[in-house]
Amino acid sequence: MFTFSIPLAEPFNFNDAITSHGWWMLAPNVWDSKKARFYRTFPTRNNDTIVGCIYMEASCLQIVTEVELTETDQDDILHYVSWMFRVNERFEPFYTLCQTHNELTDLPMKRKGRLLRSPTLFEDIVKVLLTTNTRWNQTIQMAEKLTYHLGEKVHGFGREFYSFPTPQTILSAGEAFLMEHVRTGYRSHYILDAAHKAVNNPARYLQPSALNHFREIKGIGPYAMNTLAMIVGRYDGLPVDSEYKKHVIGTYFNGIAPSKSELESVYDKWGDYKYLAYWFDHYK
DNA sequence: TTCCAGGTCCCTA
DNA sequence: TAGGGACATGGA
């Protein structure tokens, strides 16, 4: 076993950082809640796949692998894990707003607010596409099939894992394969468009700073766009979907549908943190 | 069977 | 610019 760690300037609750968002349920993520261990695969630069086990100890994120890593691969995994857990993100401004409004005050108290993300933006773009116009259980199934059929199988920590497929692999598989085996339906075309853009212009589509270009990917509409904005740490937009509407109409409008602008202005007072306010208002 | 889900695209008028 | 049908899939 090989262990390395990430010191945390701002400690947080590990369990909450994983489970505040449903991403932990999507392959290749594996969460052992009893042991408080998070497992998943990471790509290496020579196209290998590494299984990492992550847990928190002594104000550090600890990362364990069963194989020895090159310094470069270790640096890459440190970078991936820091990104996934938003280690360098500061939540103080949001916490201050919670105190000012005297709402969601358990968030600053428990150091909550982190929403888990994937090691790569490509994985998150695909996963957001998998959440559109379907039920959550089906999203889970599609992610499972995507990694099973197109990921690389690797053994670690007493079980089998699959990597999240690269854009190249998805492109090679093609639309018919996605339809038949991954059961992504009409989304297959969108996933391929994302893969195509990732391969041909990574600088334009795979950087957090490229947020404005995500909308050019087929299948990324307003809901998906604001979800991806959340992924890169911008919380000023809302993921207005059936779930949002159900929550807001039920909670703030006595079950009677208001106008579109009323529906979308419920969280205005949260300014740059509307997404987090909605999210934790809904899933508290 | 029919409906619809943590939507988006695209064609009309 | 807004409205509405089509789209793959699978569970209720």
Side-chain angles (χ1 to χ4, degrees):
Chain A
M1 297 288 180
F2 301 88
T3 305
F4 43 111
S5 64
I6 303 173
L8 301 175
E10 183 181 299
F12 55 85
N13 182 297
F14 189 57
N15 181 82
D16 288 332
I18 288 169
T19 60
S20 290
H21 191 272
W23 255 208
W24 66 271
M25 288 181 250
L26 302 184
N29 292 330
V30 174
W31 169 232
D32 182 340
S33 60
K34 286 183 184 155
K35 295 181 180 166
R37 295 289 190 274
F38 184 83
Y39 302 89
R40 70 157 289 139
T41 50
F42 298 95
T44 71
R45 297 204 185 187
N46 53 359
N47 294 322
D48 262 343
T49 300
I50 298 291
V51 181
C53 167
I54 302 150
Y55 60 96
M56 187 177 280
E57 190 177 86
S59 292
C60 286
L61 282 179
Q62 307 285 350
I63 304 160
V64 182
T65 63
E66 290 187 330
V67 296
E68 193 166 7
L69 302 178
T70 65
E71 201 172 322
T72 310
D73 286 338
Q74 186 169 318
D75 283 349
D76 284 349
I77 292 182
L78 284 172
H79 174 82
Y80 287 141
V81 174
S82 295
W83 172 260
M84 289 172 68
F85 289 92
R86 303 178 190 261
V87 166
N88 298 314
E89 207 169 304
R90 291 290 166 264
F91 288 82
E92 287 307 330
F94 175 54
Y95 292 160
T96 302
L97 265 184
C98 295
Q99 307 288 15
T100 304
H101 297 317
N102 198 26
E103 290 175 40
L104 304 174
T105 48
D106 62 314
L107 299 182
M109 214 155 57
K110 296 178 181 172
R111 315 298 294 178
K112 281 175 70 170
R114 286 180 159 72
L115 301 178
L116 186 69
R117 50 191 174 189
S118 303
T120 67
L121 263 177
F122 177 69
E123 182 175 329
D124 274 334
I125 290 169
V126 171
K127 284 180 169 174
V128 169
L129 287 172
L130 296 186
T131 67
T132 57
N133 197 26
T134 188
R135 290 186 170 81
W136 180 243
N137 273 341
Q138 212 168 331
T139 300
I140 292 173
Q141 289 308 313
M142 288 187 275
E144 187 69 34
K145 289 183 164 71
L146 188 61
T147 55
Y148 177 78
H149 289 290
L150 295 176
E152 187 193 339
K153 183 157 95 173
V154 51
H155 193 83
F157 299 96
R159 55 163 288 167
E160 275 165 1
F161 291 84
Y162 293 85
S163 63
F164 192 84
T166 63
Q168 290 86 349
T169 308
I170 289 176
L171 277 183
S172 304
E175 191 163 357
F177 185 94
L178 292 178
M179 295 276 250
E180 185 180 352
H181 297 285
V182 188
R183 312 301 289 165
T184 33
Y186 70 91
R187 293 172 205 79
S188 307
H189 179 64
Y190 301 159
I191 293 167
L192 284 170
D193 188 55
H196 181 78
K197 288 182 164 69
V199 167
N200 290 294
N201 205 339
R204 187 178 171 92
Y205 295 106
L206 290 187
Q207 308 286 337
S209 56
L211 180 62
N212 291 335
H213 294 298
F214 294 169
R215 193 71 169 75
E216 297 163 18
I217 297 168
K218 283 191 172 56
I220 303 292
Y223 152 82
M225 184 63 207
N226 285 337
T227 304
L228 287 170
M230 170 279 284
I231 290 291
V232 303
R234 284 200 45 178
Y235 305 113
D236 54 338
L238 290 163
V240 180
D241 58 8
S242 57
E243 197 62 29
Y244 174 91
K245 290 173 190 165
K246 192 169 62 182
H247 167 72
V248 167
I249 292 171
T251 308
Y252 300 103
F253 296 97
N254 291 319
I256 300 161
S259 72
K260 188 172 184 289
S261 65
E262 283 178 305
L263 192 75
E264 295 179 11
S265 62
V266 168
Y267 296 97
D268 275 0
K269 69 179 179 184
W270 294 88
D272 288 341
Y273 292 93
K274 292 187 197 73
Y275 193 112
L276 290 180
Y278 155 63
W279 193 266
F280 288 98
D281 182 38
H282 188 6
Y283 301 101
K284 57 191 164 196

